[in-house]
Amino acid sequence: MEIDLPEVLTEVTAQFARYEQALVSNDVAVLDELFRKDGLTLRYGIGENLYGYDAIAAFRGARSPAGLMRRTDKTVITTYGRDTAVASTLFYRETTPGRVGRQMQTWVRFPEGWRIVAAHVSIIDEPKS
């Protein structure tokens, strides 16, 4: 298996950037598009466990658009072959000083394009070192 093929890494990096822009601007249509429309898609959030695309879309549709701005750090995207990737990043919000968010996404290429099939978001106290 080839890891981090340059053209595949470029594709996934672009989709990750598109997701991040949609997240901070609350572009629900793009966020919905980027999650796989499937009952097996899941997202573990800070305060919710969402099983299936419908639950994820309902969460996005009901979420407040306030306070979504953040800065990311230490983003790592690794591709496995031509059709699978994992994206991981830390994020910081001014509204939660001293805390760091962690986000991981599993991306898979389908005929309709790259889609998130699993995501995990958590926030912890920022480590001292």
Side-chain angles (χ1 to χ4, degrees):
M1 174 176 294
E2 297 179 274
I3 296 175
D4 287 343
L5 289 164
E7 66 275 15
V8 179
L9 189 56
T10 297
E11 290 173 15
V12 177
T13 299
Q15 291 305 309
F16 180 83
R18 190 169 171 238
Y19 177 90
E20 186 63 25
Q21 178 57 42
L23 182 70
V24 300
S25 65
N26 201 40
D27 187 338
V28 175
V30 171
L31 293 171
D32 286 348
E33 173 194 333
L34 293 176
F35 274 85
R36 171 79 169 159
K37 290 181 175 75
D38 191 302
L40 298 174
T41 301
L42 63 93
R43 179 185 178 276
Y44 293 151
I46 295 167
E48 66 285 335
N49 297 321
L50 305 171
Y51 294 91
Y53 174 84
D54 292 342
I56 296 166
F59 169 80
R60 291 276 182 223
R63 182 175 173 169
S64 168
L68 297 177
M69 288 305 300
R70 66 187 197 170
R71 103 180 137 78
T72 59
D73 190 33
K74 297 184 180 176
T75 301
V76 176
I77 298 173
T78 306
T79 65
Y80 300 91
R82 297 193 168 276
D83 300 318
T84 307
V86 174
S88 307
T89 196
L90 300 178
F91 65 87
Y92 299 87
R93 287 196 165 109
E94 290 182 15
T95 57
T96 55
R99 309 268 291 166
V100 58
R102 303 173 302 174
Q103 173 182 300
M104 294 188 77
Q105 301 166 331
T106 302
W107 291 78
V108 176
R109 183 198 313 265
F110 291 94
E112 63 271 22
W114 286 99
R115 298 294 184 263
I116 299 165
V117 297
H120 186 128
V121 182
S122 60
I123 295 179
I124 61 171
D125 290 334
E126 190 163 9
K128 300 294 182 212
S129 55

